[in-house]
Amino acid sequence: MSETAKIEIGGKSYEFPVVTGAENEKAIDIKKLRGTSGCITIDPGFKNTGSTTSAITYLDGENGILRYRGYPIEQLAEKATFLEVAFLLIYGELPNKKELADFKASITNHTLVHEDMKQFFEAYPAKAHPMGVTASMVCSLSTFYPESQDPNRPKEAIDLTIHRLIAKLPTLAAMSYKNAMRHPFVYPKNNLGYCENFLNMMFSMPTEDYEPDPVVAEALNKLLILHADHEQNCSASTVRIVGSSQANLYASISAGVSALWGPLHGGANQAVIEMLDKIKEDGGDLEKWVAKAKDKDDPFRLMGFGHRVYKNFDPRAKIIKKACDDVLEKLGVEDPSLDIAKRLEKIALEDPYFVERGLYPNVDFYSGIIYKALNIPTEMFTVMFALGRLPGWIAQWKEMVENKEPIGRPRQIYTGETERDYVPIEKR
Ligand code: SDX
């Protein structure tokens, strides 16, 4: 006998099926709610509302668990490469040797972007934020591959678009940085690995040879894996809802880049470093800034703290915090921001305001410190998040399409004026 939930409203009782997930999470299936009771539910920010069922990523917010297709994030971050994880998220299984070789070869051969795209970059002001440039460029890719706009294109064509995106996003990201620096673009090199190629496109200069540091490449590989997916977060939900209208994958991913830009979401990694710099410049009075974060009349929030799902600890933050010490030591980097961040974490986690609300460091709290040590400029931090999140967005979009989910169109409760007649201007 399957479990059901009863709702009583208007003196009538209605029964709805309960859906149980692979990890025993439960949801009330309200597909028939409006048709039977005439009512809808309302839940701003969808804090209690599931938009879909998904087999990609599992989060347990209370126990700090994150798994991609069942594999614990701790193991993937330690043992896998980013392209292996991308393949796992998108196609559902870890690739065997041939699958990985074919996947890598396809991506390697699509890293170039059309030469005409260089003109777009030249039209941007020097200080154009790379997230604005990247979101535009990703959507513009759809104009160079118009066949990608066909919702009924075959699987092979969809795979080609997927590989083009994974191949070209690092190229576009590096071009947005070089453009901002007014430095010459650096072309991708097919003999370099995914992370090494990105670093070369970012930091190579015509005046000198550049050799990607293996420590930097390894740290980048780990950071990209840690950011690769996170179930129905704001940007993934954006990708799914845009894709649900049968907009093409480039347009859907571009929308995800835009959603990620917000400081409450992926933009927090840039906001954390700016916050730490502001605290440092202000004399480093941590108690003062923690008090500001608790003050409801003060708009200041402790950036990099808190999470919609994790109410205990973000497993990614734990891994990144440890990686901070390793990477900075290996690179011989001294960054006072790391010390400030650690002391800030300690003060906050001894403060009832944060503990009672389940506010702990999230993935963005320490990631910027590593990006800084890798010489990634602050305004590129959220672009780095997008590079990592791309395979997750693609996997979420692909699952939505393969499940033939309906176009996303939430309902509302109207609270405006009831019917009234037009008033001629003379009488207003
Ligand atoms: C990411 O969803 C994902 O999975 C996202 C992500 C991913 O991988 O895709 O994990 C990546 O976006 C991480 C989050 C990065 N954002 C930040 O670090 C910005 C700072 N954090 C917050 O703004 C906030 O914690 C959110 C946005 C992350 C979560 O917000 P919620 O779940 O809507 O919670 P809320 O804003 O309703 O806060 C609950 C309470 C409130 O106080 P009360 O009304 O109960 O008195 O906690 C307070 C908030 O004022 N609060 C904070 C705080 N975060 C929440 N107070 C001070 N500092 C903070 N950072």
Side-chain angles (χ1 to χ4, degrees):
M1 177 69 176
S2 57
E3 200 176 352
T4 62
K6 284 193 180 64
I7 296 177
E8 289 214 356
I9 187 159
K12 288 187 180 170
S13 175
Y14 303 91
E15 203 162 356
F16 300 96
V18 170
V19 173
T20 303
E23 295 285 348
N24 288 319
E25 326 97 286
K26 294 194 182 296
I28 303 170
D29 178 343
I30 55 167
K31 278 200 278 297
K32 295 195 168 64
L33 176 66
R34 190 168 184 277
T36 52
S37 73
C39 288
I40 62 168
T41 60
I42 190 159
D43 184 20
F46 312 114
K47 296 192 175 188
N48 306 281
T49 299
S51 58
T52 188
T53 56
S54 177
I56 300 167
T57 292
Y58 173 66
L59 302 188
D60 176 334
E62 281 61 41
N63 298 303
I65 292 172
L66 167 56
R67 299 189 199 122
Y68 296 160
R69 301 282 188 185
Y71 295 98
I73 190 65
E74 294 79 5
Q75 294 182 29
L76 294 172
E78 201 50 47
K79 299 172 182 166
T81 65
F82 176 62
L83 286 185
E84 262 186 299
V85 170
F87 187 98
L88 169 67
L89 286 167
I90 295 166
Y91 299 107
E93 295 295 339
L94 283 169
N96 61 34
K97 281 196 181 123
K98 181 178 180 325
E99 288 166 333
L100 184 58
D102 292 348
F103 188 57
K104 270 186 187 171
S106 174
I107 286 165
T108 301
N109 290 310
H110 286 98
T111 48
L112 277 172
V113 295
H114 199 291
E115 281 293 292
D116 287 356
M117 293 193 89
K118 287 167 65 175
Q119 299 166 48
F120 302 167
F121 284 95
E122 283 145 18
Y124 280 102
K127 287 296 162 212
H129 196 291
M131 280 297 276
V133 175
T134 302
S136 314
M137 291 300 166
V138 168
C139 202
S140 301
L141 283 172
S142 63
T143 65
F144 288 86
Y145 307 104
E147 71 283 1
S148 67
Q149 297 162 25
D150 171 8
N152 305 308
R153 64 210 173 288
K155 179 188 175 311
E156 299 67 40
I158 292 176
D159 278 341
L160 178 54
T161 299
I162 289 172
H163 296 182
R164 277 178 169 148
L165 265 164
I166 296 175
K168 296 179 196 304
L169 189 57
T171 307
L172 292 169
M175 289 173 81
S176 69
Y177 169 63
K178 286 298 197 188
N179 182 61
M181 300 294 286
R182 289 302 189 245
H183 289 172
F185 294 131
V186 174
Y187 283 78
K189 280 189 174 173
N190 288 358
N191 64 325
L192 293 177
Y194 194 80
C195 294
E196 293 80 358
N197 191 29
F198 173 70
L199 292 168
N200 186 58
M201 291 188 288
M202 281 283 289
F203 300 121
S204 175
M205 292 290 279
T207 46
E208 59 206 47
D209 289 338
Y210 171 82
E211 196 58 42
D213 180 330
V215 172
V216 174
E218 187 197 339
L220 182 55
N221 178 68
K222 181 173 285 193
L223 283 167
L224 294 178
I225 290 172
L226 290 167
H227 286 81
D229 191 54
H230 218 237
E231 54 127 287
Q232 304 313 311
N233 57 83
C234 176
S235 54
S237 301
T238 301
V239 168
R240 285 182 88 121
I241 203 162
V242 170
S244 74
S245 75
Q246 294 191 343
N248 65 77
L249 179 54
Y250 295 114
S252 303
I253 297 298
S254 171
V257 174
S258 298
L260 187 73
W261 196 356
L264 293 187
H265 190 14
N269 58 14
Q270 173 177 341
V272 167
I273 291 298
E274 291 166 348
M275 171 186 75
L276 295 174
D277 289 346
K278 193 184 288 182
I279 292 171
K280 214 175 350 177
E281 285 148 26
D282 181 55
D285 178 353
L286 301 185
E287 280 73 13
K288 168 187 165 187
W289 288 90
V290 167
K292 280 170 64 69
K294 293 158 59 179
D295 178 356
K296 290 304 167 199
D297 298 326
D298 189 324
F300 174 74
R301 279 197 162 191
L302 211 48
M303 300 312 278
F305 253 73
H307 198 276
R308 175 63 56 76
V309 176
Y310 294 125
K311 296 306 175 192
N312 195 328
F313 62 91
D314 183 335
R316 303 167 298 177
K318 285 179 86 170
I319 297 169
I320 295 175
K321 180 179 177 183
K322 182 180 177 309
C324 268
D325 292 325
D326 297 346
V327 172
L328 269 64
E329 187 193 343
K330 283 178 186 170
L331 295 176
V333 169
E334 287 282 321
D335 184 349
S337 299
L338 180 54
D339 174 54
I340 294 176
K342 286 181 175 177
R343 287 191 293 124
L344 207 49
E345 176 185 0
K346 187 173 182 315
I347 293 169
L349 297 189
E350 288 166 359
D351 186 309
Y353 172 92
F354 293 89
V355 175
E356 283 159 10
R357 291 169 175 78
L359 304 176
Y360 292 81
N362 59 48
V363 68
D364 295 310
F365 190 63
Y366 286 105
S367 55
I369 292 168
I370 296 190
Y371 287 136
K372 251 175 85 180
L374 305 186
N375 286 323
I376 306 278
T378 307
E379 287 211 332
M380 283 289 289
F381 286 6
T382 311
V383 174
M384 301 308 294
F385 195 143
L387 281 180
R389 186 52 52 89
L390 178 62
W393 285 334
I394 292 170
Q396 297 286 346
W397 174 90
K398 187 167 175 283
E399 184 177 68
M400 178 275 301
V401 168
E402 289 171 352
N403 290 349
K404 297 184 172 38
E405 293 191 4
I407 185 169
R409 200 270 183 229
R411 294 277 183 158
Q412 66 161 25
I413 292 295
Y414 176 69
T415 57
E417 297 285 344
T418 53
E419 185 175 2
R420 53 182 174 165
D421 293 329
Y422 179 79
V423 179
I425 194 159
E426 304 76 38
K427 294 187 175 172
R428 288 178 208 157

